[in-house]
Amino acid sequence: MSSLGLEELYELLDEVLSRKDIRRALDVSSKRIENNPLSVMARYSYLEKFRDEVRKAKEEVLRNLDYYIDKTMESVRKINGEAYYADTSQDVFKLVEDLVGDPPKLVIKSKSMVTEELKLRQHLEEIGHKVIETDLGELLIQIAGEKPMHTIAPAVHMTRERAIKLLSSIGVKVSETSTLEEIVYQVRVYLRDIFFKADVGISGGNTIAADTGAVFLISNEGNIRNTTNLPPIHIAIISVEKIMPNMEMAYKQALLQAANAGLYPPTYLSIIAGPSSTADIEQSRVFGVHGPPRVVVILYNGGRKNFLKHEYLWEQLLCIKCGRCQGVCPVWSLTGNFWGGEVYGGPMGIGWTAITEGVEKASKLALFCLLCERCTEFCPMRIQLHKIIHYLKTELFKNWVY
Ligand code: SF4
């Protein structure tokens, strides 16, 4: 068993279960993550209809992925943006290094699972840039040197006390007695200057519309608007399965994701279609007014194409990363993403780990699943998550030595 690494995984999860601070934080948060989408979906009944429409549109894109990648890049260029396709993490690093320029530069980031997958922040820091996460939860993760614990709420496992300790360590003016409101205000003060001084803003993308090249970004904190609007260059790194055929379906996907994350309506939904510009003087177009003069889209594969025809794992590519399956999972609600791979955890994380880190690693995680099927029941994309997990369990036992 130890040759399969299962013992280490068991020990890690056992330790997590004994950590009172993690238990306390997850108890509160996982109930909210489970319950909030229920009331949202009940209140805005049209969202239910979006589920099948979005799934159908995503299936169409996956069936013709190369066509949609080309079409998206063409559309981005038509609106004066720059567009690239990157097959591997090294391809992304090379592009981003060239775009950011010689170190040291100040790079700000909004939360993005795909940049976590790439370990882009760590890479840019290693080559001499200063990188700052602007989402509060993700900033806490950066300071702690941990991985995100949920797709939408990365610091879901942290208590207020721990957040205060971490933020104090970087000079945010908070103390043991700070209320949540005071903490948030001080983070705002701390980040304000950084937003204006940053050389580059990097974001992910909740989705991108192939017909227009418009990038859709959801945010509640407002940090994404600052990150994508204030620095002179905005780089959006988006994994290829996030492409939607057109604006209508991209909009529906974004709303569906927000609703299933329990944050509806999202406070901000940004649609970024190329660089800012004006032609107000002599009708001559000048790029870069209040927004950046350069907007660059990088479409990242990262092994996803290898799974387009996989009997089970192709369905994971329909995932909109709303995190709903995590909130309803009895195992995740005890462990957070500690039960997961390098980046992705919980039910969706098992499939995503198979795609991004390999079937062998994911199959060990699958062993801890109870196969209760709640994830499948609640997934807005109707992904048969339990079948993916069952397949991975089977893979594990194929190599089992008795
Ligand atoms: S698998 Fe389904 S429920 Fe889980 S994050 Fe993806 S879309 Fe959401």
Side-chain angles (χ1 to χ4, degrees):
M1 245 164 99
S2 60
S3 65
L4 294 169
L6 281 170
E7 278 181 12
E8 289 107 310
L9 189 54
Y10 175 81
E11 279 163 20
L12 170 70
L13 296 180
D14 198 37
E15 192 203 318
V16 169
L17 291 177
S18 67
R19 285 265 305 272
K20 286 203 177 90
D21 58 329
I22 296 178
R23 296 254 25 77
R24 189 151 58 87
L26 277 175
D27 272 355
V28 177
S29 309
S30 60
K31 281 190 188 76
R32 286 197 190 122
I33 292 171
E34 176 171 3
N35 293 330
N36 289 355
L38 290 175
S39 46
V40 169
M41 297 300 282
R43 192 158 174 204
Y44 303 100
S45 53
Y46 56 85
L47 291 164
E48 183 61 29
K49 202 162 69 73
F50 289 1
R51 294 174 67 182
D52 290 329
E53 288 180 62
V54 171
R55 177 169 170 131
K56 214 167 137 215
K58 286 186 80 70
E59 282 181 10
E60 154 69 16
V61 170
L62 293 181
R63 268 196 305 272
N64 303 287
L65 190 54
D66 285 330
Y67 165 78
Y68 279 102
I69 290 171
D70 289 344
K71 185 171 176 183
T72 306
M73 292 202 294
E74 202 182 300
S75 298
V76 171
R77 290 178 189 133
K78 269 192 196 145
I79 51 174
N80 298 300
E82 297 161 53
Y84 300 96
Y85 169 75
D87 195 45
T88 66
S89 58
Q90 291 308 313
D91 296 339
V92 175
F93 290 168
K94 174 85 187 53
L95 285 166
V96 174
E97 280 174 34
D98 289 348
L99 290 162
V100 173
D102 292 336
K105 292 279 166 53
L106 176 57
V107 179
I108 53 174
K109 274 187 76 261
S110 62
K111 180 168 68 62
S112 135
M113 293 309 285
V114 80
T115 58
E116 283 290 331
E117 190 183 313
L118 287 156
K119 300 210 177 338
L120 182 64
R121 182 181 71 234
Q122 293 84 337
H123 175 75
L124 291 173
E125 285 171 341
E126 270 163 30
I127 60 172
H129 297 295
K130 182 166 182 174
V131 187
I132 296 180
E133 296 286 348
T134 60
D135 172 272
L136 175 51
E138 195 65 23
L139 178 63
L140 290 167
I141 293 297
Q142 178 181 16
I143 309 165
E146 293 178 359
K147 65 175 180 176
M149 281 295 138
H150 182 261
T151 45
I152 307 298
V156 71
H157 62 306
M158 286 191 198
T159 57
R160 185 182 66 93
E161 292 78 5
R162 180 145 187 248
I164 288 171
K165 266 195 198 136
L166 290 168
L167 292 167
S168 306
S169 73
I170 58 161
V172 179
K173 292 190 172 50
V174 284
S175 70
E176 279 174 18
T177 56
S178 297
T179 61
L180 290 179
E181 286 74 15
E182 286 161 355
I183 297 169
V184 169
Y185 176 73
Q186 289 302 334
V187 170
R188 176 188 165 99
V189 171
Y190 174 82
L191 285 176
R192 199 109 298 231
D193 231 25
I194 292 169
F195 280 126
F196 282 99
K197 285 187 181 144
D199 299 295
V200 180
I202 297 181
S203 75
N206 293 86
T207 173
I208 181 166
D211 63 343
T212 57
V215 177
F216 285 61
L217 285 156
I218 299 168
S219 151
N220 292 292
E221 295 181 15
N223 65 307
I224 289 187
R225 294 210 160 179
N226 292 351
T227 303
T228 59
N229 207 51
L230 294 173
I233 176 164
H234 166 210
I235 306 170
I237 303 171
I238 304 168
S239 49
V240 288
E241 88 288 354
K242 290 282 189 81
I243 297 171
M244 288 299 271
N246 53 46
M247 288 292 273
E248 181 193 350
M249 295 317 300
Y251 176 66
K252 287 180 174 171
Q253 174 182 319
L255 293 190
L256 198 58
Q257 184 187 1
N260 281 280
L263 305 164
Y264 197 86
T267 312
Y268 303 102
L269 172 58
S270 301
I271 301 176
I272 300 174
S276 102
S277 71
T278 179
D280 277 351
I281 303 173
E282 295 182 354
Q283 291 304 294
S284 178
R285 187 157 297 277
V286 176
F287 287 98
V289 193
H290 303 292
R294 288 183 76 189
V295 171
V296 185
V297 170
I298 299 176
L299 296 176
Y300 171 59
N301 176 28
R304 285 156 172 80
K305 285 188 192 175
N306 297 334
F307 292 90
L308 287 170
K309 293 198 164 53
H310 190 284
E311 188 180 355
Y312 298 99
L313 284 163
W314 79 271
E315 258 205 303
Q316 193 65 61
L317 298 169
L318 298 171
C319 174
I320 56 173
K321 295 186 181 159
C322 62
R324 182 97 189 257
C325 55
Q326 296 171 317
V328 299
C329 172
V331 180
W332 184 90
S333 61
L334 293 173
T335 63
N337 276 6
F338 288 105
W339 176 43
E342 293 273 322
V343 184
Y344 302 104
M348 59 85 86
I350 297 176
W352 276 117
T353 300
I355 291 168
T356 57
E357 296 178 57
V359 165
E360 196 191 331
K361 183 165 185 177
S363 66
K364 290 170 208 157
L365 299 171
L367 191 67
F368 293 83
C369 168
L370 306 175
L371 287 178
C372 68
E373 299 186 22
R374 289 200 90 206
C375 49
T376 299
E377 187 187 336
F378 285 93
C379 172
M381 288 293 93
R382 308 191 197 284
I383 298 171
Q384 301 289 295
L385 289 154
H386 70 286
K387 287 193 182 162
I388 292 176
I389 295 171
H390 187 266
Y391 153 75
L392 289 165
K393 281 192 190 222
T394 314
E395 285 300 297
L396 179 71
F397 288 112
K398 265 191 200 163
N399 302 317
W400 196 271
V401 180
Y402 293 94

